[in-house]
Structures are given as C-alpha cells and as structure tokens.
Amino acid sequence: DDSALTDYCIAQILLQLGRYADAEARFEKILRGHGIGFGHHNRYLVPVDYGWLLVRLGRYGDAIPVLLEGVRLRPTAAHAWNALGVATYNSAKNPAA
C-alpha cells in the first residue's frame, strides 16, 4: 500500500469511471506520501492529472496552481497545457469557481 505509482494507476481508473471523489482521495494520498514509484521522468503526471481532476470537479481556481506545477516539471506535455487552458478559461468565465 506504499506505492504511489499503484495509487496513481487506481486514481486513473477512478477518474476514467467518473468516480471523482474516490480519485481525489487517491491523489491526496499520493501527495501526502513519499512518491514511491515516481522519478524525474514521470513526476509531472501527478500534478497534471490531479489538476485535471480538479477541473472536472469545477474547481478551476484550485486546479491552476497544481497544473502550473505540472507544466513546470514537463513543459513539453501538451495535455498539461491544454488542462491549464481549460482551467484558466473557466476560472475567468466563472470567478467564483
């Protein structure tokens, strides 16, 4: 149960199933842990996908700093920039979100 990579895989499945609350709990567990299974080559996945989850939950303001961390870690990840664009656009459109 100490593998962040296993929790990440489960969070991905939950995200795809639309079980956002369960996915959020997995991402929060990963963020509280030691990141076992993640290294320089894949560390960006956690903030990018957690940020996308926050977008799906309509929490655009919360998603932006998380996604900024993802693009800082991997500036070539197009899906990270796309998620950041969606969050920024919706945040400007609905400042209360």
Side-chain angles (χ1 to χ4, degrees):
D1 190 41
D2 291 334
S3 174
L5 193 55
T6 300
D7 284 322
Y8 172 79
C9 292
I10 294 169
Q12 280 295 321
I13 292 167
L14 295 168
L15 185 59
Q16 294 301 316
L17 292 173
R19 293 176 49 189
Y20 299 137
D22 294 330
E24 183 175 22
R26 288 287 177 161
F27 277 113
E28 288 174 356
K29 179 182 174 197
I30 294 166
L31 294 170
R32 286 190 312 269
H34 300 291
I36 295 173
F38 285 94
H40 180 72
H41 68 286
N42 65 350
R43 166 71 180 86
Y44 76 98
L45 292 169
V46 175
V48 170
D49 292 337
Y50 180 52
W52 180 245
L53 169 65
L54 294 172
V55 168
R56 299 294 297 170
L57 290 169
R59 293 169 43 196
Y60 309 115
D62 293 336
I64 291 171
V66 175
L67 290 164
L68 283 170
E69 174 66 8
V71 298
R72 183 190 69 76
L73 292 169
R74 182 63 60 95
T76 59
H79 66 290
W81 287 103
N82 182 67
L84 181 58
V86 171
T88 302
Y89 172 80
N90 283 297
S91 180
K93 191 170 81 169
N94 185 6

